Amino acid sequence: MEDLFGNNVKTLEGRLIEPSQPFTEAEAEEIVNEVIHGGELLEQLAYNLMRLRRLLKTEDHFLFCAARREAWEDLMWVYDLYESPPYIPFDTACDVVGLDAEDIRSAISNEFGDELRRLSQTIRSRFPEKTAHLRQRLGKYIVLDLH
């Protein structure tokens, strides 16, 4: 059977049983350079926050849509809220392009503090055991208990 990249792979009941690499090492390095060194991760963050900003200006700013979901995923990356470490930490993405991660976090929390509180409240309501983690990560940027 062929994978999406035209490579022959062995499968059993539709599952891959023999590892295959979709990219050569050179291709993978080029992708990493573009994503990290080209600043694509930070450009995507800016785009998603712009969409969130537009959503917050609408009458139905409580709507949970793709724009909010993608912005929340980015906010979780920016403030390191995921359980496991990301492949590319936010601090690393900033360092590579010469930006100060703390300055960006502060600016985001100033503009999107209410959204960060809403994200935090949503996580805490579903996973109360994450409260200490959220306070540790977000506490120096926003007061979490305000609505």
Side-chain angles (χ1 to χ4, degrees):
M1 167 182 235
E2 286 188 355
D3 64 9
L4 292 174
F5 303 97
N7 300 318
N8 285 323
V9 295
K10 293 183 181 179
T11 61
L12 177 64
E13 297 178 7
R15 294 179 187 215
L16 186 65
I17 59 171
E18 183 178 281
S20 70
Q21 289 190 317
F23 304 108
T24 65
E25 283 188 37
E27 290 170 329
E29 187 175 322
E30 184 179 329
I31 291 168
V32 168
N33 279 334
E34 188 65 29
V35 169
I36 299 175
H37 300 290
E40 283 188 20
L41 287 173
L42 297 175
E43 286 175 15
Q44 188 64 46
L45 167 67
Y47 173 75
N48 288 339
L49 291 178
M50 180 187 66
R51 289 174 58 207
L52 179 62
R53 185 179 298 123
R54 281 195 307 254
L55 174 67
L56 293 175
K57 290 180 181 179
T58 67
E59 289 181 25
D60 195 9
H61 65 273
F62 292 106
L63 178 68
F64 196 84
C65 59
R68 176 163 276 134
R69 185 189 75 244
E70 290 167 6
W72 279 19
E73 287 174 4
D74 283 345
L75 291 172
M76 290 180 66
W77 173 59
V78 168
Y79 293 96
D80 193 23
L81 300 179
Y82 286 109
E83 271 188 10
S84 57
Y87 180 69
I88 301 167
F90 178 71
D91 290 37
T92 301
C94 289
D95 287 345
V96 167
V97 295
L99 297 173
D100 186 304
E102 284 302 308
D103 286 347
I104 294 172
R105 285 187 188 101
S106 294
I108 290 172
S109 64
N110 283 334
E111 183 171 353
F112 297 102
D114 288 339
E115 195 67 20
L116 284 166
R117 280 187 274 286
R118 183 177 292 136
L119 168 63
S120 173
Q121 181 59 39
T122 301
I123 294 170
R124 287 186 292 168
S125 69
R126 293 182 182 169
F127 307 101
E129 68 276 10
K130 301 294 180 197
T131 299
H133 179 74
L134 290 166
R135 287 191 190 285
Q136 176 192 19
R137 300 291 188 199
L138 295 174
K140 66 182 180 179
Y141 303 104
I142 59 169
V143 178
L144 290 173
D145 297 324
L146 292 180
H147 282 304

